[in-house]
Amino acid sequence: MKLFEFQAKEIFEKFGIETPKGVVFDKPEFDSKLDGVGYPCVLKSQILRGGRGKAGLIKFADTPAEAESYAAELYNCGQGVDRLLVVEKGKIKSEIYLSVTLDPAAATALVIACADGGVEIETLAKDSPEKIIRERVDIDRGILPFQAVNIAFQLGLEGDLRKGVSKVIMQLYAAFDAYGAELAEINPLFITTDDKVVAGDGKFVIDDAVLAKYPEYSMGREYFESDAEFEAAVDGIPYLQFDGDISLMCAGAGLTTTVYDLINDEGGKVANYLEFGGPNYRRAKRAMELCLKNDNKVILIVTFGTIARADVMAEGIVEAMNELKPDVPIVTCIRGTNEEEAVEILKAAGLEPLFDTEEAVRKAVAIAGGKA
Amino acid sequence: MKLFEFQAKEIFEKFGIETPKGVVFDKPEFDSKLDGVGYPCVLKSQILRGGRGKAGLIKFADTPAEAESYAAELYNCGQGVDRLLVVEKGKIKSEIYLSVTLDPAAATALVIACADGGVEIETLAKDSPEKIIRERVDIDRGILPFQAVNIAFQLGLEGDLRKGVSKVIMQLYAAFDAYGAELAEINPLFITTDDKVVAGDGKFVIDDAVLAKYPEYSMGREYFESDAEFEAAVDGIPYLQFDGDISLMCAGAGLTTTVYDLINDEGGKVANYLEFGGPNYRRAKRAMELCLKNDNKVILIVTFGTIARADVMAEGIVEAMNELKPDVPIVTCIRGTNEEEAVEILKAAGLEPLFDTEEAVRKAVAIAGGKA
Amino acid sequence: MSIYIEKDTKVLIQGITGKEGSYWTEHMIGLGTQVTGGVTPGKEGQTVHGAPVYNTVRRAVAEVEAEASMLFVPPRFTKDAVFEALDAGIKKIVTVAEGIPLHEAIQIRSAALSEGAVVIGGNTSGVISPGQAMMGFFPYWIERVYKPGRIGVMTRSGSLTNEVTAMVVEAGFGVSTLIGVGGDSVPSTRFAEMLPDYQNDPETDAVVVIGELGGTMEDEVAEAIADGSFTKPVVVFMGGRTAPEGKKMGHAGAIVSGGSGSVADKTKLLESVGARVAKRPRLVGELLKEVLGD
Amino acid sequence: MSIYIEKDTKVLIQGITGKEGSYWTEHMIGLGTQVTGGVTPGKEGQTVHGAPVYNTVRRAVAEVEAEASMLFVPPRFTKDAVFEALDAGIKKIVTVAEGIPLHEAIQIRSAALSEGAVVIGGNTSGVISPGQAMMGFFPYWIERVYKPGRIGVMTRSGSLTNEVTAMVVEAGFGVSTLIGVGGDSVPSTRFAEMLPDYQNDPETDAVVVIGELGGTMEDEVAEAIADGSFTKPVVVFMGGRTAPEGKKMGHAGAIVSGGSGSVADKTKLLESVGARVAKRPRLVGELLKEVLGD
């Protein structure tokens, strides 16, 4: 689970990393006294998408009036800004990129740093890969001080700054380690004109597999871009929203992305992806319900299950159709364990079960395009 | 630093290990209401020596009157009992030995367990070494649950008891690890008649090298057997008290034990050992002061220093003699860096410096025996 | 022949008395797998489908032969179970659990690497040498997928594997050994690390890799081809060719990619070293015919 | 010749700009030691007695040759400094610090073992090959102790080493290499682990072991003699023969002993395999004369 900036910064503070003085407001609240933060200030929309700056979701205000005006503008920009973090605008000398993540190939933790902070790491990796510093950390042993010192020297730092940044590296690693995090990122890490080292922005991704240990980050609507995605997540059903008109109920991430590709190849567009395999193969009704929340023209069901039995899935689909009475056609391509029984069940319910994925895709695209 | 039983149990509780309900009294306080502990109870003298049971320093009381009487007896037994831990007397089915320590050869932590608890591990190791279970633990990785499960099965436990003891093993290891301890021992670990797993006694030794991290265990007189040992420890001077009449100011633990052996070989007896080498080689006056607290007949100084310069030590000794005016003779055998200068300094002060350890020992023994 | 597991491989089942463990033990034996024993703490003395149950892996290996261990253990106990097997000297371990905590997955892979063990998973159906033996849950009775033959298959997926393998079979081939390295973002063993075994297996003619967007596992396969350590034909299919940027589609993918992780870039790299990349599952069979001269 | 360090060994000094580091660097060079560089963070560009200083060990090994590193680093920074040296590929490390936290000492030894490095210390004066080179602080100018010769010396002590070695020299011998494994309860390298080097050194005729009560390091020497892996004469001296039970005399000793750890038991064991045990330091020289036929 990706945390909001203000939550990431709370964790940083807990581990001793300095962050700019700030105050959080929930829509529609705003008080230009800023709880003493002072002016000039920065209004930062607390949403989970990247690229907030470019999207105009971060505003600089010199006066209370300006701040009031920006706050209103952000709350009402239509991009789901329900919370603002307002921070003091420090005097910045330079910006550093710093993160800790995992290296699956090397089987280590990995500290990544770059003296050119403030831009996304993907951009850095593309434009100036030679500037990126990588330090592998044995995950049982943890980071050792000399590793942080090496990074700081490679960043070109000296004296107190070298010590300050080394310390932040150790602290960031400690936070990453303590939470079993997927990613702990400070970008930018500010070096202020008075040589303080301050986390200007923060990204913190907690591994979903350990999330239950942190009830303070319980799943809320605010973490999702749409109601359907939130509802699906609450039900434990992987779900992604797109803007096409073909709803997918597929089994397995690999098969789903493949069907997604095939639909695009045929000129179709996907409305949503929904995982109907794994532990969810008995939940056809709930899955179909979620698909029907979309403004779609067809539901395409493609599976090739092993444990997820084809006959059980087919029964579930028929039951769901009887209860939900969908007003869009349903195309099925259900294979795997007990597939013969599945075919009988679907046929008995009046469906025309297909057996070939490409054929099923073509049919769904044709229906969506009004050609079938 | 070896902690008192009640302190060890506080740590156990902190890590989730159950201990018998208890109350601590400081001499001369005692209240037979026992803060609700109830009767029958056990009065346990809080001293650091082993073998308290045999020494009569643990008493069982069935009534408040009995408890009052035992408390007075223990406070006044002349063995320095200044504190009592009074605990409920549980109904015990069996007793287990359990400890975590380090294995210097294997470079691991080591869990030791034995189904026959309640006796000292040294005795167990001698009498029934085949009953001792050893499980090595990678210190970076920490103990894994399967290791605790293996130990519990080897202890012959089943069902809930197996689970309960496995859990205590994990918890004891966690305490050992968190404190960087030298030893964490529960002996006996009670299995009660209602199948609870309870730490009946506790020993916890914190590595002196990390003691500064735990100000709650600051060095007090109570941790030492004599005033001189306490004073020396406060000054950072290794010191041991014996009951002979030759005080030793030696440099280095190895040389000191050697001189100790040579004195015994010659029929002499050591009053105290005091480390005059290493960081203390400039502290002759303080060292001599501590030696003079003993009822000794001679002070024997043997060194063979490298960094600890012989001339500096000699100067310190002469200065100390001038200031303290000891009323016992001093025998010196000071060698090493700048030994020639040292000889001159000692001679100028009227001493007869020796150069051979065995000769020096013989002289000191002769003086102590009234033969020189 | 086959790699990793064959009909004589002696397999232990950790978590054998559980519902899943017991069910799939029966099927593993049904295919011909030599299940010599099982482990469930507290259940020593029982038997499951003829296999004796022990309290610990140490106890099991003291009593029966076992060179491999199959784990039917929930994700949060997987690390412990893997280390227990490693501790007992077992070098082949398959774990099907989905959702092993990432930091623990790193610890598992790190330990496996340093002890020279090959841990397969998590989040996989396991490993199967059709017609011989399996560790995992494959409905091996579905002939049009699990047909014995001379094509090695490696995959990160479940259903997609069936989809693709069915095409391999439809094209007239069969499978020597199918290895599901698992869909988690930190698989314990990576595609390229299994290539030497396929290279040395005289009964594997070519390898099909079912990859995905993200990560660098397919790039590593390209490296092994490029440096000449793997010389048999390779056919690759990857889903996610048209995936929109920024959406986390498919599995978590690698968290840190060396390259861009896009299917387009991977395709370019793989084709540059001579591997064939199929745009659609059906084409996998066609390309196999081409490279093997039908 | 000699073991561990000789006149051509290239040595780095970690903590070279400190008071102790700088002082003993001068003396190390004075004896002939090849000090190729030093490390102190933030002091890169300086030189100390001619040795260039670098910010990190990685920087140093990139610029100068170094196969060994001498640490003048306080105990609580020792673990980090040792790992920094290991990380840079250095396999010989001497650390003099006294009071390294025990758990960190275990981590140091564990890492050294797994990386095939030999870390000497802590709480030692170091290693010296008299007349050639040293890593540590030995007043090598005291001729009656640090005389070159053909006797290897291993010790846990400081002053006692001088006492005993003086007797070796007085008896007409000299020292090939003296290794202070250190007086801490978890020495990074144990007596027996240095024996193969002494065995292979054509210029070492016999080894003197200066042991103590507690622990099992002397027992391990006995084992190496018993199993035939060490065949040169061994003379042992141990302090603490008459130490009273229950008092922690001498060094911390081993925390877990396999045997009783008493000098009497060790003596019995050592003599049973043919080692000679001297009751007093003076007798070490006499026994050497006996075993080497004078």
Side-chain angles (χ1 to χ4, degrees):
Chain A
M1 171 182 272
K2 184 174 167 185
L3 302 186
F4 289 101
E5 175 190 5
F6 78 95
Q7 294 172 318
K9 285 182 168 175
E10 279 167 8
I11 292 177
F12 294 165
E13 286 279 349
K14 205 169 124 185
F15 283 81
I17 300 170
E18 199 179 328
T19 63
K21 200 173 174 190
V23 56
V24 172
F25 295 106
D26 285 342
K27 184 178 179 182
E29 286 169 32
F30 191 80
D31 177 353
S32 58
K33 285 191 200 117
L34 300 186
D35 202 18
V37 164
Y39 289 88
C41 71
V42 190
L43 288 80
K44 309 182 81 176
S45 302
Q46 296 300 288
I47 59 163
L48 293 174
R49 269 167 293 157
R52 289 175 300 170
K54 279 184 202 156
L57 299 177
I58 293 177
K59 299 285 184 191
F60 296 85
D62 288 325
T63 63
E66 231 179 337
E68 294 274 7
S69 145
Y70 279 135
E73 185 183 329
L74 291 169
Y75 279 148
N76 299 308
C77 69
Q79 297 203 54
V81 177
D82 291 331
R83 194 178 271 143
L84 294 175
L85 168 64
V86 186
V87 296
E88 56 180 343
K89 185 172 179 299
K91 294 203 170 78
I92 313 305
K93 196 162 67 180
S94 65
E95 299 187 343
I96 289 170
Y97 174 90
L98 188 64
S99 72
V100 189
T101 181
L102 297 169
D103 184 335
T108 63
L110 182 68
V111 181
I112 300 176
C114 183
D116 297 349
V119 286
E120 284 187 17
I121 186 67
E122 290 80 4
T123 312
L124 283 174
K126 209 170 153 189
D127 298 345
S128 37
E130 75 288 352
K131 287 189 185 163
I132 293 179
I133 298 157
R134 289 185 168 80
E135 179 79 27
R136 285 186 180 143
V137 178
D138 180 297
I139 201 165
D140 284 325
R141 195 174 277 162
I143 193 168
L144 288 161
F146 85 86
Q147 298 183 287
V149 169
N150 268 283
I151 295 166
F153 275 122
Q154 282 177 271
L155 286 168
L157 301 170
E158 291 186 357
D160 285 346
L161 277 183
R162 188 256 302 168
K163 285 176 192 164
V165 170
S166 301
K167 198 171 152 196
V168 169
I169 294 169
M170 299 297 289
Q171 291 162 330
L172 188 65
Y173 187 90
F176 170 82
D177 182 52
Y179 282 87
E182 203 169 315
L183 174 70
E185 184 185 82
I186 303 177
N187 186 27
L189 178 66
F190 290 147
I191 307 294
T192 65
T193 50
D194 56 346
D195 281 352
K196 281 191 179 162
V197 183
V198 182
D201 197 352
K203 200 187 277 184
F204 206 89
V205 183
I206 298 183
D207 176 10
D208 290 340
V210 300
L211 202 54
K213 283 201 263 180
Y214 307 103
E216 65 269 39
Y217 303 120
S218 64
M219 201 149 49
R221 169 65 183 87
E222 55 199 10
Y223 292 98
F224 296 86
E225 289 190 23
S226 70
D227 290 339
E229 282 172 319
F230 172 56
E231 279 183 39
V234 168
D235 282 0
I237 299 177
Y239 181 98
L240 279 179
Q241 183 79 54
F242 302 100
D243 51 6
D245 47 20
I246 303 174
S247 282
L248 288 185
M249 277 170 64
C250 286
L255 185 53
T256 303
T257 53
T258 300
V259 171
Y260 185 97
D261 290 341
L262 294 173
I263 289 174
N264 281 337
D265 288 350
E266 294 290 333
K269 287 206 123 193
V270 173
N272 70 283
Y273 146 43
L274 182 149
E275 172 68 54
F276 178 43
N280 298 314
Y281 80 95
R282 292 174 186 278
R283 299 168 75 187
K285 187 186 153 198
R286 184 66 185 128
M288 198 176 289
E289 221 167 46
L290 286 165
C291 286
L292 291 174
K293 285 185 183 278
N294 285 289
D295 190 20
N296 56 20
K297 295 186 182 150
V298 58
I299 295 175
L300 171 59
I301 304 176
V302 183
T303 72
F304 205 138
T306 51
I307 291 181
R309 277 162 49 193
D311 56 334
V312 174
M313 293 169 108
E315 268 169 19
I317 289 161
V318 171
E319 210 174 301
M321 287 173 64
N322 289 340
E323 289 190 38
L324 301 173
K325 306 198 188 313
D327 53 2
V328 294
I330 289 173
V331 178
T332 70
C333 181
I334 297 179
R335 285 83 37 93
T337 312
N338 296 353
E339 58 193 14
E340 298 82 2
E341 291 89 329
V343 168
E344 295 313 314
I345 292 163
L346 294 170
K347 279 189 178 159
L351 286 166
E352 295 170 23
L354 298 177
F355 229 60
D356 179 279
T357 303
E358 293 187 24
E359 192 184 340
V361 165
R362 278 194 298 271
K363 184 164 174 190
V365 171
I367 292 170
K371 292 169 192 162
Chain B
M1 171 183 271
K2 184 174 167 185
L3 302 186
F4 290 101
E5 175 190 3
F6 78 96
Q7 293 172 318
K9 285 181 168 175
E10 280 167 8
I11 291 176
F12 295 165
E13 285 280 349
K14 206 168 122 186
F15 282 81
I17 301 170
E18 197 179 331
T19 63
K21 200 173 173 189
V23 55
V24 171
F25 295 107
D26 285 343
K27 185 178 179 181
E29 286 169 31
F30 191 82
D31 177 353
S32 58
K33 285 188 199 117
L34 301 185
D35 202 19
V37 164
Y39 290 88
C41 71
V42 190
L43 288 80
K44 309 182 81 174
S45 303
Q46 296 299 288
I47 59 164
L48 292 173
R49 269 166 295 157
R52 288 178 302 172
K54 279 187 203 153
L57 298 179
I58 293 177
K59 300 286 186 189
F60 296 85
D62 288 325
T63 65
E66 231 180 336
E68 294 275 7
S69 144
Y70 278 136
E73 186 184 328
L74 291 169
Y75 280 149
N76 299 308
C77 70
Q79 298 203 52
V81 177
D82 291 330
R83 195 178 269 143
L84 295 174
L85 169 63
V86 186
V87 296
E88 58 181 340
K89 186 172 179 299
K91 292 203 170 78
I92 313 306
K93 197 161 67 177
S94 64
E95 299 186 343
I96 288 170
Y97 174 90
L98 188 64
S99 71
V100 189
T101 181
L102 297 169
D103 184 335
T108 64
L110 183 69
V111 181
I112 301 176
C114 182
D116 298 349
V119 286
E120 286 186 16
I121 186 68
E122 290 81 4
T123 312
L124 284 174
K126 209 171 150 186
D127 298 346
S128 38
E130 76 288 352
K131 287 189 184 163
I132 294 180
I133 300 156
R134 288 183 169 82
E135 179 78 26
R136 286 186 180 142
V137 178
D138 181 298
I139 201 164
D140 284 325
R141 193 175 280 162
I143 193 167
L144 288 161
F146 85 86
Q147 299 183 289
V149 170
N150 267 282
I151 295 167
F153 275 123
Q154 282 178 273
L155 286 168
L157 301 170
E158 290 186 357
D160 285 345
L161 277 184
R162 189 257 300 170
K163 285 177 191 163
V165 169
S166 301
K167 197 170 152 197
V168 169
I169 293 169
M170 299 297 288
Q171 291 162 329
L172 188 65
Y173 187 90
F176 170 82
D177 183 50
Y179 282 88
E182 201 169 316
L183 174 70
E185 182 185 83
I186 303 177
N187 185 27
L189 178 66
F190 290 146
I191 307 294
T192 65
T193 49
D194 55 347
D195 280 352
K196 281 191 181 163
V197 183
V198 182
D201 197 352
K203 201 188 274 184
F204 206 88
V205 183
I206 297 183
D207 177 8
D208 290 340
V210 300
L211 202 54
K213 282 201 265 181
Y214 308 103
E216 64 270 39
Y217 304 119
S218 64
M219 201 152 48
R221 169 67 182 86
E222 56 198 10
Y223 291 98
F224 296 87
E225 288 190 24
S226 70
D227 290 339
E229 281 171 320
F230 172 55
E231 280 184 37
V234 168
D235 282 0
I237 300 177
Y239 181 99
L240 280 179
Q241 182 81 52
F242 302 101
D243 51 7
D245 48 18
I246 302 173
S247 283
L248 289 185
M249 277 169 65
C250 287
L255 185 53
T256 303
T257 52
T258 301
V259 171
Y260 185 97
D261 289 342
L262 294 173
I263 288 174
N264 281 338
D265 287 351
E266 293 291 331
K269 287 207 122 191
V270 173
N272 71 282
Y273 145 43
L274 183 147
E275 172 69 52
F276 178 41
N280 298 313
Y281 80 97
R282 292 174 185 278
R283 299 168 77 188
K285 187 185 151 196
R286 184 66 185 128
M288 198 176 287
E289 222 166 46
L290 286 164
C291 285
L292 291 173
K293 286 186 182 275
N294 284 289
D295 190 19
N296 56 20
K297 293 185 183 152
V298 58
I299 296 175
L300 172 59
I301 304 174
V302 184
T303 73
F304 204 139
T306 51
I307 292 183
R309 277 160 51 191
D311 55 334
V312 173
M313 294 170 108
E315 265 169 21
I317 289 161
V318 172
E319 210 174 301
M321 286 173 65
N322 289 339
E323 288 190 39
L324 301 173
K325 306 198 189 311
D327 54 2
V328 294
I330 289 172
V331 178
T332 71
C333 181
I334 297 178
R335 285 85 35 93
T337 311
N338 295 356
E339 57 194 13
E340 299 82 2
E341 290 89 328
V343 167
E344 294 312 314
I345 291 163
L346 295 170
K347 278 188 182 162
L351 286 167
E352 295 171 24
L354 299 175
F355 229 61
D356 179 279
T357 303
E358 293 187 24
E359 191 185 339
V361 165
R362 278 193 299 271
K363 185 164 173 190
V365 172
I367 292 171
K371 291 171 192 161
Chain C
M1 242 190 60
S2 52
I3 69 165
Y4 203 80
I5 180 166
E6 37 124 47
K7 60 179 164 37
D8 294 330
T9 310
K10 308 279 189 296
V11 179
L12 218 58
I13 314 282
Q14 287 173 252
I16 194 170
T17 60
K19 199 181 140 201
E20 254 193 297
S22 161
Y23 179 79
W24 286 102
T25 296
E26 189 175 2
H27 284 306
M28 284 171 65
I29 294 171
L31 174 58
T33 315
Q34 303 275 326
V35 175
T36 54
V39 174
T40 300
K43 301 283 171 77
E44 186 154 326
Q46 300 185 6
T47 59
V48 173
H49 304 299
V53 181
Y54 300 95
N55 281 333
T56 64
V57 180
R58 283 189 205 163
R59 284 278 308 130
V61 298
E63 300 291 333
V64 299
E65 275 184 87
E67 65 212 88
S69 187
M70 175 68 220
L71 272 52
F72 291 102
V73 168
R76 66 198 177 95
F77 301 128
T78 296
K79 175 185 161 187
D80 190 49
V82 169
F83 277 86
E84 181 173 5
L86 290 173
D87 164 84
I90 290 175
K91 301 289 187 201
K92 291 178 182 180
I93 299 163
V94 175
T95 171
V96 292
E98 178 175 355
I100 299 169
L102 287 170
H103 286 225
E104 299 187 3
I106 292 279
Q107 291 171 316
I108 290 170
R109 175 161 160 79
S110 171
L113 286 176
S114 70
E115 303 194 14
V118 181
V119 179
I120 301 288
N123 191 12
T124 172
S125 309
V127 179
I128 182 168
S129 297
Q132 295 193 62
M134 71 175 181
M135 292 169 73
F137 32 58
F138 295 93
Y140 61 88
W141 49 87
I142 304 185
E143 259 275 316
R144 70 187 176 92
V145 179
Y146 301 102
K147 189 181 158 192
R150 302 178 59 86
I151 306 296
V153 179
M154 293 194 289
T155 177
R156 303 206 67 181
S157 301
S159 306
L160 178 59
T161 307
N162 292 335
E163 177 88 27
V164 173
T165 311
M167 298 302 163
V168 171
V169 173
E170 201 177 299
F173 301 96
V175 174
S176 58
T177 301
L178 184 155
I179 295 187
V181 301
D184 282 349
S185 55
V186 184
S188 297
T189 295
R190 301 173 71 80
F191 284 152
E193 292 163 340
M194 296 311 301
L195 287 177
D197 287 349
Y198 281 119
Q199 176 75 19
N200 293 331
D201 179 27
E203 298 188 20
T204 292
D205 294 335
V207 167
V208 169
V209 175
I210 305 169
E212 64 179 13
L213 77 167
T216 57
M217 296 226 312
E218 297 79 10
D219 307 42
E220 292 155 26
V221 170
E223 259 174 64
I225 300 171
D227 70 18
S229 57
F230 191 72
T231 59
K232 296 181 180 179
V234 174
V235 175
V236 182
F237 174 78
M238 293 172 283
R241 222 181 341 113
T242 63
E245 260 187 64
K247 290 263 181 185
K248 194 170 170 177
M249 279 194 75
H251 299 116
I255 300 163
V256 194
S257 317
S260 73
S262 77
V263 171
D265 284 357
K266 291 186 187 202
T267 300
K268 211 171 139 187
L269 179 63
L270 284 160
E271 291 186 334
S272 76
V273 299
R276 306 297 297 266
V277 180
K279 269 189 100 174
R280 290 174 287 130
R282 180 168 301 283
L283 297 180
V284 171
E286 305 305 318
L287 290 176
L288 274 179
K289 283 189 206 170
E290 275 187 39
V291 297
L292 293 175
D294 199 5
Chain D
M1 242 189 62
S2 52
I3 67 166
Y4 202 79
I5 180 166
E6 37 124 46
K7 59 179 166 35
D8 294 329
T9 309
K10 308 281 189 296
V11 180
L12 218 59
I13 314 282
Q14 287 175 251
I16 193 170
T17 59
K19 201 181 137 201
E20 254 192 297
S22 162
Y23 179 80
W24 286 102
T25 296
E26 189 175 2
H27 284 307
M28 285 171 64
I29 294 171
L31 174 58
T33 315
Q34 304 276 327
V35 175
T36 54
V39 174
T40 301
K43 301 283 170 79
E44 186 155 324
Q46 300 187 5
T47 59
V48 173
H49 304 299
V53 181
Y54 300 94
N55 280 334
T56 64
V57 180
R58 283 187 205 164
R59 284 277 309 129
V61 299
E63 300 292 334
V64 299
E65 275 185 87
E67 64 210 89
S69 188
M70 174 69 220
L71 272 53
F72 292 102
V73 167
R76 67 198 177 96
F77 300 128
T78 297
K79 175 185 161 187
D80 189 49
V82 169
F83 277 85
E84 182 173 4
L86 291 172
D87 163 83
I90 291 176
K91 300 289 187 202
K92 292 179 183 179
I93 299 163
V94 175
T95 172
V96 293
E98 178 175 354
I100 299 168
L102 287 170
H103 285 224
E104 298 186 4
I106 291 281
Q107 290 170 316
I108 290 170
R109 177 164 158 76
S110 170
L113 286 175
S114 70
E115 303 195 15
V118 182
V119 180
I120 302 288
N123 189 12
T124 171
S125 309
V127 179
I128 181 169
S129 298
Q132 295 192 64
M134 71 175 181
M135 293 169 74
F137 32 58
F138 296 94
Y140 61 87
W141 50 87
I142 304 185
E143 260 276 316
R144 70 189 177 91
V145 179
Y146 301 103
K147 190 182 158 191
R150 303 178 59 87
I151 307 297
V153 179
M154 292 193 291
T155 177
R156 303 206 66 181
S157 301
S159 307
L160 177 59
T161 307
N162 292 336
E163 177 88 27
V164 173
T165 310
M167 299 299 165
V168 171
V169 173
E170 201 177 298
F173 301 97
V175 174
S176 56
T177 300
L178 183 155
I179 295 186
V181 300
D184 281 349
S185 55
V186 184
S188 297
T189 295
R190 302 172 71 80
F191 285 153
E193 292 163 341
M194 297 312 300
L195 286 177
D197 287 348
Y198 281 118
Q199 176 76 19
N200 294 331
D201 179 25
E203 298 187 21
T204 291
D205 294 335
V207 167
V208 169
V209 175
I210 305 170
E212 62 179 15
L213 77 166
T216 56
M217 295 226 313
E218 297 79 10
D219 307 42
E220 291 154 28
V221 170
E223 259 174 62
I225 299 172
D227 71 17
S229 56
F230 191 71
T231 59
K232 296 181 180 180
V234 174
V235 176
V236 182
F237 174 78
M238 293 172 283
R241 224 181 337 114
T242 64
E245 262 187 63
K247 291 263 182 187
K248 193 170 172 179
M249 281 193 73
H251 299 117
I255 300 162
V256 194
S257 317
S260 72
S262 77
V263 171
D265 284 357
K266 292 186 186 201
T267 300
K268 212 171 139 186
L269 178 63
L270 284 160
E271 291 187 334
S272 76
V273 299
R276 306 298 296 268
V277 180
K279 268 189 100 174
R280 290 175 286 132
R282 179 168 300 283
L283 297 179
V284 170
E286 304 305 318
L287 290 175
L288 274 179
K289 283 189 205 170
E290 277 187 37
V291 296
L292 294 176
D294 199 7

